Amino acid sequence: MLIRLYPWIEAFHVISLIAWMAGIFYLPRLYVYHCQVPVGSVESERFKVMERRLLKQIMNPAMIATWVFGILLVLTPGIITWTEGWWYVKLVSVLMMTGFHGAASKWRKDFLNDRNRRPERFYRVANEVPTVLMMIIVIMVIVKPF
Ligand code: HEM
């Protein structure tokens, strides 16, 4: 059954990871802009709405879908050779991506409660983390270097 559905599962894995990655690249950008406006301003309140919608309506469902389709791929016979190293590097990178997602949702709560104390630069640097992880993940699944 899983073997027959394999191309479909992989297609939906890629569709959902594109949505997840789009959000995870954009959310810290919103935090950078949010740092630039005064607490309590109309702009600040608007950023809160944008951040909540991006996280709850796009990123959370997309992350769950990526995991569900990814796990189905893992369970498909013949897809993963457990002695190859690339899979473990991908797994660790995906766990770190999920951890970053969790950290970004915690930062959103700080903005929501007007409690953010991190500087703009922090979010500029944080923005690079998912980019590097995504590059590692894609190289692991496509090139499978080891
Ligand atoms: C969330 C947990 C995830 C699991 C359990 C998972 C698992 C898998 C598995 C088993 C495959 C099949 C590998 C193969 O065909 O050799 C795969 C393919 C792929 N995954 Fe993931 N993955 C996850 C998340 C991600 C993320 C976050 C990204 C990107 C940032 C990603 C990118 C890809 C790509 C590009 C492919 C290859 C598609 C193709 O061959 O056309 N995955 N994934």
Side-chain angles (χ1 to χ4, degrees), residues 35-105:
C35 284
Q36 297 167 355
V37 298
V39 168
S41 62
V42 177
E43 293 97 324
S44 174
E45 296 308 305
R46 190 171 303 134
F47 277 124
K48 289 180 187 177
V49 174
M50 290 166 78
E51 289 154 3
R52 190 189 70 237
R53 290 198 178 146
L54 183 61
L55 190 74
K56 303 231 169 203
Q57 293 176 10
I58 297 180
M59 291 172 63
N60 285 350
M63 178 183 68
I64 292 167
T66 307
W67 269 104
V68 169
F69 292 118
I71 289 168
L72 288 176
L73 287 172
V74 173
L75 296 176
T76 307
I79 296 300
I80 293 192
T81 310
W82 297 100
T83 47
E84 290 174 357
W86 66 269
W87 161 248
Y88 299 96
V89 178
K90 167 162 178 171
L91 182 61
V92 170
S93 308
V94 161
L95 288 172
M96 287 170 77
M97 190 78 87
T98 307
F100 184 88
H101 182 115
S105 42

Side-chain angles (χ1 to χ4, degrees), residues 1-10 72-73 76-77 79:
M1 168 80 160
L2 283 175
I3 294 174
R4 203 162 43 82
L5 288 177
Y6 166 67
W8 285 100
I9 296 171
E10 192 153 52
L72 288 176
L73 287 172
T76 307
I79 296 300

Side-chain angles (χ1 to χ4, degrees), residues 13-24:
H13 182 59
V14 173
I15 290 166
S16 46
L17 76 85
I18 287 172
W20 185 22
M21 292 302 105
I24 216 164

